[in-house]
Amino acid sequence: MLFTIKAVLFAMIALLSIILISIFITSDNKNYSIVRDSYSLGTIVQLKAYGSKAEKAIEEVIDKLNEIDNKMSVFKGYSEVSKINTSAGEESQVVSKDTYFLIKKAVEYCSISGGAFDITIRPLVELWGIGKDNSQIPESNELTKKIKLVNYKDIVLHEDTKSVFLRNKEQQIDLGGIAKGFAADEAKNILVKHNIKNAIIDLGGNIFALGKNVNGLPWRIGIQDPLKSRGQFVGIINIINKSVVTSGGYERYFIQDDKIFHHIINPSTGYPSESDILSATIISDYSIDGDGLSTGIYIMGLPKAIDLIESIKGVDAIFINNNKEIHVTSGMRNNFILTNNEYVYN
Ligand code: AMP
Ligand code: MG
């Protein structure tokens, strides 16, 4: 009898210890974070995730980003996008679900932007070579030739076979203006699947802020000063579970005769966009929408850009123009906090 009471007591103490240890581990794990820097999709990737499953989840995210890069990069001859480009005017290419989805979504944004965003921009981007060693102002006859190749309406999509065809030889797709948005959404989905509640996914400034920060407050995201080096901000926004994507000519450019030639090309002039916008930041639930909109909006210029974003439910924007004025759409009015008095906030 004595033996039985002792055994029960022992079992109870053991059980209590197990419960206490697991409570300790759980509460400790709430603040447990993993930070990983990596390189994918032609940019620096920074991932920070909280929780006990963060390490495994981040590994899976990095694999997914590399998989997207391998399917969609124009710099990889074996990618699905390269195959679409090399068979332009000849035959259609069957692609993966991911690539098909992204091209279809991108075409929607080409249309919404009235062709300012056009993923068949690749012949012009290649000619300028911005960000490469061979950056140069092209000959005007070369530009005229390449401008004629740019037309997203020549992308033929076959839903049943998930295949993509470019109508004319030498036409080429470039998903550089939208792929990071898609990738950020995919990264978020993987984190959520692993039950991660708080994380920051930063794909070269294309940010998804998952949940709240670890103190239960909104994430504070800095809006880059387009005239200063990376990490210098014009203001701050408070974000819960949203994507924040910025397009700006300051990201990649070369200077010739004191003039900046950047990487966002206006399809109708063939030249880097010269609108009044220095940077366009889109705040949205899905990063694919933010990225798809940011590039075209940058080219469209301020009045049209504001009208377009105000017309899309659940999407907001912050614009900085070349007079150093900051304009925000109605949903951002109570959110944007100016921190740099070199700028004027309207
Ligand atoms: P983002 O940083 O999202 O604004 O994308 C810029 C990238 O999009 C460039 O580096 C090009 O690869 C591509 N791009 C440039 N101009 C255009 C355009 N008018 N439409 C679609 N993509 C573009
Ligand atoms: Mg974009």
Side-chain angles (χ1 to χ4, degrees):
M1 182 65 180
L2 189 67
F3 175 74
T4 325
I5 291 171
K6 254 187 170 172
V8 170
L9 214 65
F10 181 75
M12 279 174 71
I13 291 169
L15 194 67
L16 197 67
S17 317
I18 290 169
I19 291 169
L20 282 175
I21 288 169
S22 37
I23 287 171
F24 176 73
I25 290 174
T26 321
S27 63
D28 188 40
N29 279 346
K30 193 175 142 264
N31 289 327
Y32 177 77
S33 70
I34 294 281
V35 182
R36 271 288 294 275
D37 288 355
S38 154
Y39 189 87
S40 196
L41 300 156
T43 195
I44 294 165
V45 172
Q46 292 182 311
L47 304 165
K48 180 172 191 171
Y50 290 85
S52 58
K53 308 231 178 74
E55 192 154 9
K56 188 162 183 288
I58 280 186
E59 286 307 321
E60 203 176 316
V61 167
I62 288 174
D63 288 348
K64 183 69 192 183
L65 297 181
N66 290 332
E67 181 197 317
I68 294 171
D69 201 11
N70 287 337
K71 283 177 183 165
M72 303 184 195
S73 170
V74 284
F75 303 110
K76 296 179 174 173
Y78 56 81
S79 77
E80 294 178 347
V81 170
S82 291
K83 285 185 185 146
I84 296 169
N85 291 345
T86 48
S87 19
E90 285 169 4
E91 56 177 8
S92 64
Q93 284 290 327
V94 176
V95 296
S96 61
K97 243 172 66 196
D98 281 355
T99 304
Y100 189 85
F101 170 78
L102 181 54
I103 293 178
K104 191 174 169 195
K105 198 82 186 169
V107 168
E108 280 173 34
Y109 281 111
C110 295
S111 169
I112 286 171
S113 72
F117 181 64
D118 190 322
I119 56 165
T120 61
I121 198 81
R122 173 75 189 147
L124 282 169
V125 169
E126 197 175 25
L127 186 64
W128 280 91
I130 289 159
K132 305 247 160 294
D133 295 339
N134 61 342
S135 308
Q136 54 169 340
I137 302 173
E139 301 286 334
S140 71
N141 59 335
E142 279 292 312
L143 268 176
T144 315
K145 245 175 31 199
K146 303 287 183 191
I147 288 172
K148 288 189 189 132
L149 293 169
V150 180
N151 186 357
Y152 70 93
K153 290 178 183 155
D154 288 328
I155 300 172
V156 183
L157 296 168
H158 297 286
E159 190 75 45
D160 46 345
T161 49
K162 298 275 176 292
S163 57
V164 185
F165 176 57
L166 283 168
R167 276 206 185 94
N168 304 304
K169 271 186 187 290
E170 291 180 49
Q171 285 190 307
Q172 290 187 63
I173 287 174
D174 173 358
L175 296 175
I178 192 167
K180 282 186 278 175
F182 170 71
D185 290 337
E186 289 293 299
K188 181 202 88 175
N189 291 341
I190 290 171
L191 297 182
V192 169
K193 185 184 84 185
H194 284 274
N195 213 17
I196 307 281
K197 303 271 191 301
N198 322 88
I200 288 282
I201 299 156
D202 183 347
L203 311 181
N206 191 317
I207 290 167
F208 197 98
L210 178 63
K212 297 180 180 177
N213 76 16
V214 78
N215 300 317
L217 297 169
W219 293 104
R220 287 164 64 79
I221 306 290
I223 305 299
Q224 174 66 38
D225 183 337
L227 302 173
K228 298 272 167 62
S229 56
R230 197 173 274 274
Q232 298 200 58
F233 302 130
V234 298
I236 302 275
I237 52 174
N238 287 299
I239 289 299
I240 301 170
N241 223 17
K242 280 194 188 286
S243 155
V244 183
V245 173
T246 302
S247 282
Y250 59 86
E251 282 173 354
R252 238 177 303 143
Y253 59 86
F254 69 91
I255 298 176
Q256 193 169 318
D257 302 330
D258 294 331
K259 202 168 151 47
I260 288 180
F261 296 91
H262 62 76
H263 69 138
I264 302 176
I265 310 291
N266 183 338
S268 46
T269 62
Y271 265 75
S273 164
E274 294 194 79
S275 83
D276 53 350
I277 297 180
L278 293 185
S279 80
T281 299
I282 308 287
I283 297 99
S284 53
D285 291 333
Y286 295 95
S287 206
I288 193 169
D289 298 326
D291 204 6
L293 284 164
S294 66
T295 314
I297 285 287
Y298 177 88
I299 296 167
M300 287 165 72
L302 199 51
K304 278 190 187 162
I306 290 186
D307 285 353
L308 176 58
I309 299 300
E310 290 287 12
S311 76
I312 306 174
K313 211 168 151 243
V315 176
D316 273 291
I318 299 166
F319 302 101
I320 305 176
N321 76 3
N322 49 16
N323 285 331
K324 288 195 158 186
E325 291 166 359
I326 296 166
H327 296 259
V328 304
T329 53
S330 42
M332 273 292 119
R333 239 160 244 155
N334 297 324
N335 192 337
F336 179 80
I337 303 156
L338 185 73
T339 56
N340 182 335
N341 55 21
E342 287 172 34
Y343 288 82
V344 179
Y345 176 34
N346 288 315

